[in-house]
Amino acid sequence: MTAKEPEIIRDKDQMRKWSRAMRSQGKTIGLVPTMGYLHAGHVSLIREAHNHSDVIVVSIYVNPGQFSPSEDLSTYPSDFHGDIQKLRAVPGGVDVVFNPHNLYDYGTNPNCTNTSTSTSNGEEMKLESCVEEKGLGHETWVRVVRLEKGMCGKSRPVFFRGVATVVTKLFNIVEPDVALFGKKDYQQWRIIQRMVRDLDFSIRVIGSEVVRESDGLAMSSRNVRLSPEEREKALSINKSLSRARFSAEKGQISCKELIDLVIQAINEAGGRVDYAEIIDQDSLETVEEIRSPVVFCVAAWFGKVRLIDNMEISV
Amino acid sequence: MTAKEPEIIRDKDQMRKWSRAMRSQGKTIGLVPTMGYLHAGHVSLIREAHNHSDVIVVSIYVNPGQFSPSEDLSTYPSDFHGDIQKLRAVPGGVDVVFNPHNLYDYGTNPNCTNTSTSTSNGEEMKLESCVEEKGLGHETWVRVVRLEKGMCGKSRPVFFRGVATVVTKLFNIVEPDVALFGKKDYQQWRIIQRMVRDLDFSIRVIGSEVVRESDGLAMSSRNVRLSPEEREKALSINKSLSRARFSAEKGQISCKELIDLVIQAINEAGGRVDYAEIIDQDSLETVEEIRSPVVFCVAAWFGKVRLIDNMEISV
């Protein structure tokens, strides 16, 4: 098979025009939203997308709306040229790479990078993202109010409203029939599913299994920022999660026991646990004993890099 | 011209299918969202819609998501049969009436009427609507965070998130090219415009001028609930707004003076002012002096009925 050259589209209107032309030809459109710096996990999503749609759009956009000013927006890795090379090599290829410059620039603000924001109402006071939110700038946010609260939402208060909002924008621009998300970002996947249901998007959301390096580390664009030592230590996440699952399958139903096991292993390896929770797969509420399908979710810091991972446990 | 019989659609999927069939025929779709109990103001929106689209969908749905449990959801007037009669009589007619039963029922909750809600996070604690928001029930809300704060947002804290959310749902179900809103609900119109911009909906939002009874009272479905005496008193809103605009046109630029004039007139008539504000037409921020296009917005109670009205002033 010869490599397929993806068309690169940067303009919203042109993107939508392309999708509508495809739809008018009876073709279904699959969207794989990414922030670039593609790895085998993304490739797995694209391969999965080929099972569900006729043509495939991969968006590459580092979304400032999901980063707080104190987070790693400015150091988030990127390699557009390398990404295109990888996309050429995907079996079946990719039809379009949607790579917009700034999805929050409406021609009203000269400067769309936020440095500090405060709003008049105390309720929202603590919520600040890297998007300009003053004057006539961007101000609409999609909130999935229960699912966004826990886990990553606790330590990253603007994260999921930023994700839900940019995905809504991408859905409205690309108008896909199917959208694919990695289950490595489990909470994100569930939030997008809930949002699609609650806002009546006519889009099928498909979650794709976690893809791991040969040693078990979950694929992430952030892995590249780990030193060799940190990378070695980070294996403690996957290893301890696997042990916890094994233990659960052998009859250990106490979540406290299982969580202690994981926290201890990560601490001993030199990581710093942000959270380790065993939650219901639908409601994402914590459970005390494993009596229905759950997922064990972990976030931990190794040096300056925060990694997440999870494992579904169905006993 | 013979009366056109609108097709009544109650199912979301059927609605979307109809719209897509129209689009595939190259026809543009206009949406007029209403809560029913139609009056001349709605008819004016529909007539305007005929100028912008080939086919017209009128939605009739009293949205529980924009009412708090203490508001008038249960007494909101309705007359579906009368509404259909009126729609038949509109010149050019209406193609579809979309009249869903419950847009928040996803098959997860036996009971979708909220009586009390509390969430785990203090931030959202005060926000309660008449939609079930527990367990796996509806939990996604669209917030236009600056424009929703003032005026009607102050006294009705869940109102605009409910409006923005149901309009998003209707947009995703009906997939219109054009949507029409009355400028009588000025803040709502601006919020929808901002939301469409920020979420990249491919929909043109058109604001239609306030339609008034022959004596000047702004048309509203709630007017029917005024006693004859209250209705007479309610004219004080329109009359005093007209006087304020005349005064501004004659050179009075002090908003305090103009606002005092309106508050005094409504008080003297026996009404109770909720707010009277002169605001910038785009940012909806209050101004002290009229030096650019503004709108004078008023909400006031007459008996148990809360009415709103406004007048644009461009000096």
Side-chain angles (χ1 to χ4, degrees):
Chain A
M1 180 160 29
T2 56
K4 187 169 176 178
E5 189 65 31
E7 182 179 350
I8 295 166
I9 297 181
R10 299 190 194 276
D11 179 74
K12 298 180 200 184
D13 293 333
Q14 203 188 331
M15 182 68 248
R16 190 183 287 112
K17 201 173 156 193
W18 184 90
S19 288
R20 292 195 173 185
M22 288 300 129
R23 175 159 296 164
S24 74
Q25 293 169 31
K27 289 184 178 159
T28 57
I29 299 154
L31 171 66
V32 180
T34 83
M35 300 214 299
Y37 214 77
L38 305 178
H39 52 64
H42 299 108
V43 171
S44 155
L45 285 171
I46 296 165
R47 296 178 79 134
E48 179 73 24
H50 276 293
N51 296 329
H52 302 281
S53 53
D54 300 321
V55 291
I56 293 177
V57 177
V58 172
S59 63
I60 296 182
Y61 180 61
V62 180
N63 172 33
Q66 71 196 56
F67 289 83
S68 80
S70 64
E71 289 174 340
D72 60 348
L73 173 62
S74 62
T75 59
Y76 197 86
S78 80
D79 176 15
F80 190 72
H81 184 71
D83 289 344
I84 298 298
Q85 301 280 67
K86 284 173 191 149
L87 293 176
R88 277 196 198 109
V90 178
V94 160
D95 296 276
V96 165
V97 172
F98 179 51
N99 179 227
H101 174 60
N102 183 346
L103 287 179
Y104 300 90
D105 181 5
Y106 311 107
T108 49
N109 282 288
N111 177 359
C112 270
T113 307
N114 186 41
T115 47
S116 85
T117 297
S118 67
T119 61
S120 58
N121 184 304
E123 176 199 329
E124 300 283 346
M125 194 73 88
K126 69 175 184 294
L127 295 179
E128 280 185 30
S129 77
C130 295
V131 161
E132 174 62 56
E133 298 170 50
K134 292 175 192 162
L136 299 179
H138 184 89
E139 63 168 308
T140 306
W141 298 104
V142 179
R143 307 282 298 265
V144 182
V145 298
R146 284 191 306 277
L147 295 186
E148 74 171 20
K149 295 279 184 231
M151 300 200 291
C152 286
K154 273 185 202 157
S155 50
R156 306 186 68 186
V158 305
F159 181 66
F160 287 119
R161 72 163 202 182
V163 168
T165 302
V166 83
V167 170
T168 295
K169 288 165 79 73
L170 289 170
F171 283 179
N172 285 338
I173 294 166
V174 178
E175 298 182 343
D177 300 282
V178 180
L180 292 99
F181 293 84
K183 284 164 78 171
K184 188 227 161 197
D185 301 298
Y186 200 91
Q187 190 176 10
Q188 169 176 287
W189 169 53
R190 289 301 197 190
I191 283 174
I192 298 301
Q193 278 189 322
R194 192 64 49 90
M195 177 188 90
V196 160
R197 183 199 72 172
D198 287 0
L199 298 184
D200 289 304
F201 279 104
S202 173
I203 295 170
R204 202 148 51 94
V205 175
I206 291 169
S208 195
E209 298 305 324
V210 182
V211 178
R212 300 181 180 282
E213 308 277 2
S214 56
D215 57 9
L217 186 69
M219 296 267 184
S220 165
S221 301
R222 288 187 173 96
N223 290 352
V224 70
R225 289 168 46 209
L226 294 165
S227 70
E229 297 75 28
E230 286 163 353
R231 202 185 171 299
E232 185 62 31
K233 292 172 180 176
L235 296 178
S236 61
I237 302 179
N238 167 58
K239 284 180 181 164
S240 63
L241 277 178
S242 296
R243 271 192 289 142
R245 182 170 60 184
F246 183 76
S247 179
E249 283 165 358
K250 290 286 174 201
Q252 176 58 274
I253 62 166
S254 159
C255 292
K256 188 182 178 313
E257 296 293 326
L258 297 167
I259 289 169
D260 284 349
L261 182 159
V262 166
I263 290 177
Q264 196 183 335
I266 293 172
N267 283 342
E268 282 175 3
R272 184 163 57 82
V273 174
D274 181 6
Y275 62 79
E277 294 188 17
I278 299 176
I279 56 174
D280 180 85
Q281 288 186 9
D282 286 323
S283 71
L284 306 192
E285 284 173 8
T286 54
V287 298
E288 295 196 355
E289 294 188 337
I290 301 178
R291 299 192 179 281
S292 58
V294 296
V295 55
F296 196 152
C297 296
V298 171
W301 290 87
F302 292 86
K304 289 186 175 173
V305 185
R306 184 174 173 279
L307 300 174
I308 62 172
D309 198 350
N310 69 78
M311 248 172 234
E312 289 178 315
I313 303 176
S314 303
V315 292
Chain B
M1 181 160 26
T2 56
K4 186 170 180 176
E5 189 65 31
E7 181 179 353
I8 295 167
I9 297 181
R10 298 189 195 274
D11 180 74
K12 296 180 200 184
D13 293 332
Q14 204 188 330
M15 182 66 247
R16 189 182 288 114
K17 201 174 154 189
W18 184 91
S19 286
R20 292 195 174 185
M22 287 301 130
R23 176 159 296 166
S24 74
Q25 294 169 31
K27 287 181 178 162
T28 57
I29 300 154
L31 171 66
V32 180
T34 83
M35 300 215 298
Y37 215 77
L38 304 178
H39 51 64
H42 299 108
V43 171
S44 154
L45 284 172
I46 296 164
R47 297 179 78 134
E48 179 73 24
H50 276 293
N51 297 329
H52 302 280
S53 54
D54 300 321
V55 292
I56 292 177
V57 177
V58 172
S59 63
I60 296 183
Y61 180 62
V62 180
N63 171 34
Q66 72 196 55
F67 289 82
S68 81
S70 64
E71 289 175 342
D72 60 348
L73 174 62
S74 62
T75 59
Y76 197 87
S78 79
D79 177 13
F80 189 73
H81 184 71
D83 288 344
I84 299 297
Q85 301 280 67
K86 284 175 192 149
L87 293 176
R88 278 197 197 107
V90 178
V94 160
D95 296 275
V96 165
V97 172
F98 178 51
N99 179 228
H101 173 58
N102 182 346
L103 286 180
Y104 301 89
D105 182 3
Y106 311 108
T108 49
N109 283 288
N111 177 358
C112 271
T113 306
N114 185 44
T115 47
S116 86
T117 296
S118 67
T119 62
S120 57
N121 185 303
E123 178 199 327
E124 300 284 344
M125 196 73 89
K126 67 176 188 292
L127 296 178
E128 281 185 30
S129 77
C130 294
V131 161
E132 174 62 55
E133 298 171 50
K134 292 174 192 163
L136 299 179
H138 182 90
E139 62 169 308
T140 306
W141 299 104
V142 179
R143 306 281 299 266
V144 183
V145 298
R146 286 192 304 276
L147 295 185
E148 74 171 21
K149 295 278 184 231
M151 301 199 292
C152 286
K154 274 186 202 157
S155 50
R156 305 187 68 187
V158 305
F159 182 65
F160 288 119
R161 72 162 201 183
V163 168
T165 302
V166 83
V167 170
T168 295
K169 288 164 80 72
L170 290 169
F171 282 179
N172 284 339
I173 294 166
V174 178
E175 298 182 342
D177 300 282
V178 180
L180 292 100
F181 293 84
K183 285 165 75 171
K184 188 231 168 194
D185 301 298
Y186 200 91
Q187 189 176 9
Q188 169 177 286
W189 169 54
R190 289 301 197 191
I191 282 174
I192 298 300
Q193 277 190 322
R194 191 63 49 91
M195 177 188 88
V196 161
R197 182 198 72 170
D198 288 358
L199 298 184
D200 289 305
F201 279 104
S202 173
I203 296 169
R204 203 148 50 95
V205 175
I206 291 169
S208 195
E209 298 304 323
V210 183
V211 178
R212 300 180 180 282
E213 307 277 1
S214 57
D215 57 11
L217 187 69
M219 296 269 182
S220 166
S221 300
R222 288 187 172 94
N223 289 352
V224 70
R225 291 167 47 207
L226 294 165
S227 71
E229 297 75 29
E230 287 164 352
R231 204 188 168 298
E232 184 64 30
K233 291 172 180 175
L235 297 178
S236 60
I237 301 179
N238 167 59
K239 282 180 183 165
S240 62
L241 276 178
S242 296
R243 269 192 289 140
R245 181 169 60 183
F246 183 76
S247 179
E249 284 165 356
K250 290 285 174 203
Q252 176 58 275
I253 62 165
S254 159
C255 292
K256 186 180 180 311
E257 296 294 326
L258 297 167
I259 289 169
D260 284 350
L261 181 160
V262 166
I263 291 177
Q264 196 183 336
I266 294 172
N267 284 343
E268 279 174 6
R272 183 165 57 83
V273 173
D274 180 5
Y275 63 78
E277 294 188 17
I278 299 175
I279 57 175
D280 180 85
Q281 288 186 8
D282 286 322
S283 71
L284 306 192
E285 283 173 8
T286 53
V287 297
E288 294 195 357
E289 293 188 338
I290 301 178
R291 300 195 178 278
S292 57
V294 296
V295 53
F296 196 151
C297 295
V298 171
W301 291 87
F302 292 86
K304 290 185 175 173
V305 185
R306 183 174 173 279
L307 300 174
I308 63 172
D309 198 352
N310 70 78
M311 246 170 234
E312 289 177 317
I313 303 175
S314 305
V315 292

